[in-house]
Amino acid sequence: MNLTHLDEKNHPKMVDVSQKDITQREACASGKIYMSKKAFEAIIENKAKKGPVLQTAIIAAIMGAKQTSNLIPMCHPLMISKVQTQIEENKEEYSFKLFVNVKCEGKTGVEMESLTAVSVGLLTIYDMVKAIDKSMQITDIVLESKEGGKSGKYLRS
């Protein structure tokens, strides 16, 4: 089996996508952060000392999507056309679930951009309330779906 990110001398390389067709690409990822009741309530009641936590996390997720190629070595820079977020609150387990949908027209997919966006968004939540709860847990960062390209559609079952 040949690894696509290694050349014939076993050196790392970026995959050549120049021969691929430009198609509509879209991917959605999600992840969760669990916390104490006190931290959860500080976020819900907008009483975190660092400011509006969820709004800041959304901005961070958008920035994370845009910066993915600067963070992940073999990712191609992409012209992203859309980053959309959704945050679900779960009062029973004191958690937030962040969904990020990323879209572009390009020669390679946006799975890494959506996964990076979720990670950065959740890390921002952690950063903004860590003074209240250092035991927060970020979990279940997964690709929910993707469309476009040669491999077609994927939907997490």
Side-chain angles (χ1 to χ4, degrees):
M1 179 174 126
N2 290 338
L3 298 176
T4 58
H5 288 78
L6 294 176
D7 67 15
E8 58 282 341
K9 293 180 182 170
N10 223 24
H11 295 147
K13 70 170 184 173
M14 201 166 176
V15 172
D16 182 359
V17 296
S18 60
Q19 300 303 311
K20 293 173 98 179
D21 292 330
I22 294 174
T23 61
Q24 191 88 335
R25 311 290 185 126
E26 194 162 356
C28 181
S30 69
K32 282 180 110 171
I33 185 166
Y34 295 87
M35 62 195 62
S36 67
K37 180 180 181 182
K38 187 177 178 183
F40 185 84
E41 287 174 350
I43 292 171
I44 296 298
E45 296 166 9
N46 234 346
K47 292 184 178 172
K49 289 183 180 172
K50 289 189 175 185
V53 175
L54 299 180
Q55 294 90 327
T56 306
I58 288 169
I59 294 167
I62 293 166
M63 292 174 68
K66 292 167 42 175
Q67 292 297 316
T68 300
S69 67
N70 291 325
L71 298 168
I72 310 294
M74 301 305 172
C75 282
H76 293 81
L78 300 175
M79 285 296 296
I80 294 172
S81 55
K82 172 185 162 186
V83 179
Q84 186 172 357
T85 64
Q86 178 188 338
I87 300 176
E88 293 177 354
E89 305 170 5
N90 187 321
K91 291 178 174 94
E92 287 75 43
E93 59 185 25
Y94 307 121
S95 72
F96 294 95
K97 186 170 185 177
L98 173 61
F99 293 85
V100 180
N101 192 68
V102 179
K103 191 175 187 180
C104 81
E105 288 183 9
K107 296 181 176 211
T108 187
V110 286
E111 297 92 342
M112 292 308 301
E113 285 71 15
S114 62
L115 288 161
T116 300
V118 166
S119 301
V120 171
L122 294 174
L123 286 167
T124 299
I125 293 172
Y126 186 98
D127 177 56
M128 293 188 75
V129 292
K130 69 181 184 269
I132 300 169
D133 180 11
K134 289 178 181 33
S135 70
M136 287 177 283
Q137 186 176 12
I138 295 171
T139 66
D140 302 318
I141 297 172
V142 296
L143 181 67
E144 295 285 350
S145 63
K146 67 142 306 259
E147 288 187 44
K150 196 165 55 172
S151 64
K153 282 188 179 187
Y154 166 80
L155 183 60
R156 180 168 292 283
S157 51

